[in-house]
Amino acid sequence: MPRATRVSRLTGLLVSVLLLTATAVACGSSDSDNDSGSSSAGGSGSSAAVGAFPVTIAHKFGSTTIKSEPQRIVTVGLTDQDAVLALGKVPVGTTEWLGGYKGAIGPWAEDKLGSAAAPTVLKDTGTGPQVEKIAALKPDLILAVYSGLTKPQYESLSKFAPVVAQPKQYNDYGVPWQQQTEEIGQALGKAAEAKTLVSGVEAKFAAAEKAHPEFAGASAVMATPYEGTLVYGSQDPRSRLLSDLGFSLPKDLDKVIGDQFGANISKERFDLLDQDVDVWIVPDTTASVTKLHDDKVYADLNVVKQGREVFIKETSDYGNAVSLSTVLSIPYVLDRLVPQLAAAVDGKASTQVAQPTS
């Protein structure tokens, strides 16, 4: 699809995979004890901690045991590559979600690639991972932490490598970035390094909250004009950016969303948009805004009248970083999002919410 319709493409992908999950066979317990001892390196990086293996990681389909330090890592999870890179490894294969980046590695993570070759980019159009192409990469670990993997897909991939699937306690595509980073750290034998990375990013959130006490208790919602009006639920990483900064999400949000990452709402539920701040991920920060404001029901909300909106272009590096919301992309996002939120939350229509200069 054209790049201009990225929200349609990526949201459609997530919806398709969620529908596949809903129609898959009932989930049961499954153990994978494939040996991950391949000696063919897929990237550079420091070695795992002594005594880190074997390690067993629980997930939606049971648990997976990784017997030795993985060297050839394939990321099926749409954002898992950032945690791998942050921990000093370069995947041999990544799964494309956003498009436009060599190896599916954004500018916030490029320096972690170093002199290593860019990963082979795999596709998932909504029908599941490209099993044969993944097998051809001879992985010794497959990561599907931020994913909507089904049990049949998990079982297919587990025939040739250990697979760490999404955690069962969250919606598909709903794992918090902290848990994603720490689980991948365990899988790579770098649990302590992962915790340090998480603490560093959490410190950035804390610093932003301290600098902006007005965020605490203020309400906010993340939305996009996809096939009408789609709002993201509390388990979506985009919404977590707001709650991690101290904002509260709409009270009935998850009741409307259900067990999905997001859902379209009718105009009768536009009360979910009348918050202290609305953050919109839009195709264009000019034409899309005009179209939103042409809707009389939306335009009549206080959030619009008082100028408390933030607009992020979906196909920009900034928009892509928001969608990923990883241990590497979040600092990049906070540098841009926090000033916009501060300008929006003051409630003064005269305060301009400026677009980032880079």
Side-chain angles (χ1 to χ4, degrees):
M1 293 185 182
R3 184 166 171 77
T5 59
R6 181 179 66 82
V7 159
S8 299
R9 174 168 57 83
L10 62 88
T11 307
L13 166 60
L14 295 181
V15 170
S16 297
V17 177
L18 287 171
L19 288 173
L20 285 170
T21 303
T23 57
V25 297
C27 299
S29 176
S30 175
D31 291 326
S32 173
D33 57 0
N34 310 63
D35 193 349
S36 61
S38 171
S39 60
S40 178
S44 60
S46 58
S47 298
V50 176
F53 297 98
V55 62
T56 299
I57 300 174
H59 52 70
K60 184 174 182 177
F61 306 116
S63 62
T64 294
T65 296
I66 304 163
K67 294 182 177 179
S68 58
E69 182 178 0
Q71 301 296 335
R72 296 186 60 81
I73 304 158
V74 170
T75 58
V76 169
L78 301 180
T79 67
D80 292 351
Q81 66 270 24
D82 276 14
V84 175
L85 290 163
L87 290 162
K89 294 281 190 179
V90 177
V92 295
T94 54
T95 299
E96 185 176 76
W97 178 21
L98 303 174
Y101 297 127
K102 185 177 180 180
I105 297 174
W108 49 85
E110 285 177 347
D111 63 328
K112 302 297 182 182
L113 183 61
S115 60
T120 296
V121 177
L122 304 159
K123 306 285 185 178
D124 183 344
T125 60
T127 57
Q130 295 176 299
V131 176
E132 291 184 1
K133 291 185 177 181
I134 293 172
L137 293 172
K138 299 180 179 179
D140 50 25
L141 176 64
I142 298 171
L143 295 170
V145 182
Y146 182 78
S147 80
L149 207 64
T150 66
K151 189 176 182 183
Q153 292 165 358
Y154 167 75
E155 291 174 341
S156 294
L157 294 172
S158 295
K159 291 176 181 177
F160 51 87
V163 180
V164 179
Q166 65 269 35
K168 64 181 179 180
Q169 64 268 43
Y170 299 103
N171 297 342
D172 289 350
Y173 304 102
V175 60
W177 66 269
Q178 296 96 323
Q179 182 167 333
Q180 176 191 38
T181 304
E182 292 186 9
E183 284 194 3
I184 291 174
Q186 291 173 5
L188 302 186
K190 298 185 176 188
E193 290 181 45
K195 287 183 179 295
T196 298
L197 287 170
V198 168
S199 295
V201 177
E202 286 182 335
K204 293 182 182 296
F205 276 108
E209 284 190 84
K210 184 176 181 180
H212 297 281
E214 68 272 22
F215 292 175
S219 61
V221 68
M222 187 84 68
T224 185
Y226 169 71
E227 293 186 349
T229 303
L230 185 145
V231 293
Y232 294 102
S234 68
Q235 289 193 24
D236 187 86
R238 284 156 284 216
S239 292
R240 284 201 177 99
L241 285 171
L242 301 175
S243 55
D244 284 349
L245 283 167
F247 288 92
S248 61
L249 301 176
K251 182 178 62 175
D252 292 338
L253 182 61
D254 285 343
K255 183 177 180 181
V256 173
I257 298 304
D259 61 355
Q260 302 182 58
F261 67 93
N264 288 94
I265 61 172
S266 66
K267 291 186 180 183
E268 286 74 22
R269 288 315 313 260
F270 270 22
D271 58 293
L272 293 172
L273 299 174
D274 204 11
Q275 307 301 321
D276 294 318
V277 181
D278 281 2
V279 181
W280 287 93
I281 302 175
V282 293
D284 182 270
T285 54
T286 301
S288 298
V289 175
T290 299
K291 185 175 180 180
L292 281 169
H293 290 175
D294 283 343
D295 186 315
K296 293 182 179 180
V297 176
Y298 177 67
D300 195 45
L301 300 178
N302 287 329
V303 68
V304 179
K305 293 177 179 179
Q306 297 175 10
R308 294 188 265 109
E309 300 163 290
V310 171
F311 295 100
I312 301 170
K313 185 176 181 179
E314 66 189 24
T315 56
S316 65
D317 290 338
Y318 176 27
N320 288 338
V322 169
S323 290
L324 260 73
S325 292
T326 65
V327 69
L328 289 182
S329 75
I330 287 172
Y332 182 97
V333 168
L334 294 181
D335 288 344
R336 294 155 176 78
L337 180 60
V338 170
Q340 288 186 300
L341 291 171
V345 80
D346 72 353
K348 297 177 182 178
S350 59
T351 303
Q352 182 181 6
V353 182
Q355 290 296 313
T357 57
S358 63

